[in-house]
Amino acid sequence: MSTAPMKVGIVGAGNISATYVATLNMFDFIRVKSICDLYEEPAKKLAAQFGIEAVTLDAMLSDPEIGLIINLTTPVSHYAISKKALLAGKHVYSEKPLGISLAEAEELMSIARAGDLRLGCAPDTFLGGGHQLTRRLYDEGRIGKAVSATAMLLLPGHEHWHPNPAFFYGRGGGPMLDVGPYYVTNLIALLGPVREVFGTAKVTRIERTVKTDPRRGETIKVLVPTHLTGIMEFHSGATITIATSFDIIKHKHNQIEIYGSEGSMVTPDPNNFTGKVEIFREGGETWEDIPVDHPYTEGVPGHLGLRGLGAAEMIDSLRAGRQHRVSSELAFHALEVMTAFERSAQSRKVIAIHSSCGRPDPIPRAINEGRFA
């Protein structure tokens, strides 16, 4: 195993980039060296904040010291940036989705394989302590075999909080491809691969008005479905009801509930790394709170949790010579599942899922934060 820290370049200085740098800085085997962005000013601001270099993309990709590129651009740019980085001989970790089509994702995986390069893709929240506890409890048989589940992502829309929300309503956006990956990936990591999908989809409003500065009052054209509901049938036999929406003002649903043959479990919000875990076992009288005793629950104060944990895990696995958990195979399978909902809605047919993936290995409960063996 190499002892020198892997040097990392980050492409994209948007809303999530500071959290990525803060998370990666928690690990002694990683050094964030440089940042680039289409717009010079946000890259310079982030570079000054963390004491790193602001460079051009070409300079970053030609830097022989940099081993990994982290792609934090908008979804429509993921394919082009990741492809350029892979062809430059760099390992790549991308924000979700891997690509906005299966063809894009498949080509990236092919390039990575041909170059013997690692390719990883968010979301990585299932690595967090709350979800690793959920995985352990399920594997221990605490609720028996999963029969069914509900997954509810019900939001009023990103125009209510994001400073630049337009791309969430363009090609590659919408609730299923934007926030749905956290739910779908989490369920696959817990229950295994999906066999088939049936779904419905609609555009509730063709325009949205931005409610936050600096674009307050601007009108957004909606080009993708903003409310999708459906069923996922897993190879394990579990059938999951899922709803993803940017049209819901308020609700009282838990994000994910798993219903097993011997009990039920409420899991943490898949958009976060930890949270409350509850179990109700057959014959019991009340729900039981299970304390989270797994690592990776807290990020750097002032940042959005532990975003970037998957990139750190990929670097650690690369150094140790093992398969990384937040893999392109997992991301591709989740992408095929998510895009199948809209295809099902258009055809009014059940869509078979052709890809597959294994469940990522759990992170050992007793491991010290800083490694992922």
Side-chain angles (χ1 to χ4, degrees), residues 87-152:
L87 291 174
K90 310 297 186 184
H91 303 291
V92 171
Y93 183 88
S94 174
E95 251 303 327
K96 44 75 185 168
L98 192 57
I100 61 173
S101 70
L102 295 179
E104 286 186 353
E106 206 160 24
E107 184 181 353
L108 293 176
M109 292 170 69
S110 177
I111 294 170
R113 284 192 298 268
D116 194 25
L117 297 165
R118 295 292 183 103
L119 176 61
C121 182
D124 53 5
T125 50
F126 70 88
L127 299 178
H131 301 291
Q132 289 295 306
L133 170 61
T134 298
R135 168 70 179 268
R136 174 169 64 84
L137 295 172
Y138 183 72
D139 287 354
E140 288 175 353
R142 295 285 291 275
I143 63 168
K145 184 179 179 181
V147 176
S148 184
T150 55
M152 299 290 161

Side-chain angles (χ1 to χ4, degrees), residues 22-23 90 103 126 169 272 281:
T23 297
K90 310 297 186 184
F126 70 88
Y169 296 96
N272 296 325
R281 287 180 57 80

Side-chain angles (χ1 to χ4, degrees), residues 213-255:
D213 296 328
R215 300 182 181 277
R216 186 183 300 271
E218 289 185 12
T219 297
I220 299 170
K221 299 292 184 183
V222 178
L223 304 177
V224 292
T226 54
H227 189 96
L228 299 95
T229 59
I231 300 291
M232 295 182 285
E233 181 179 345
F234 284 68
H235 283 277
S236 67
T239 54
I240 313 302
T241 302
I242 187 169
T244 67
S245 182
F246 286 166
D247 298 325
I248 306 301
I249 295 170
K250 206 72 175 174
H251 69 91
K252 287 188 175 183
H253 293 284
N254 287 309
Q255 284 89 355

Side-chain angles (χ1 to χ4, degrees), residues 166-177 201-206 208 221-228 246-247 342:
F167 72 87
F168 294 107
Y169 296 96
R171 185 167 171 260
M176 183 60 80
L177 283 185
K202 64 179 178 179
V203 178
T204 302
R205 302 192 301 277
I206 61 172
R208 302 271 176 143
K221 299 292 184 183
V222 178
L223 304 177
V224 292
T226 54
H227 189 96
L228 299 95
F246 286 166
D247 298 325
E342 192 170 348

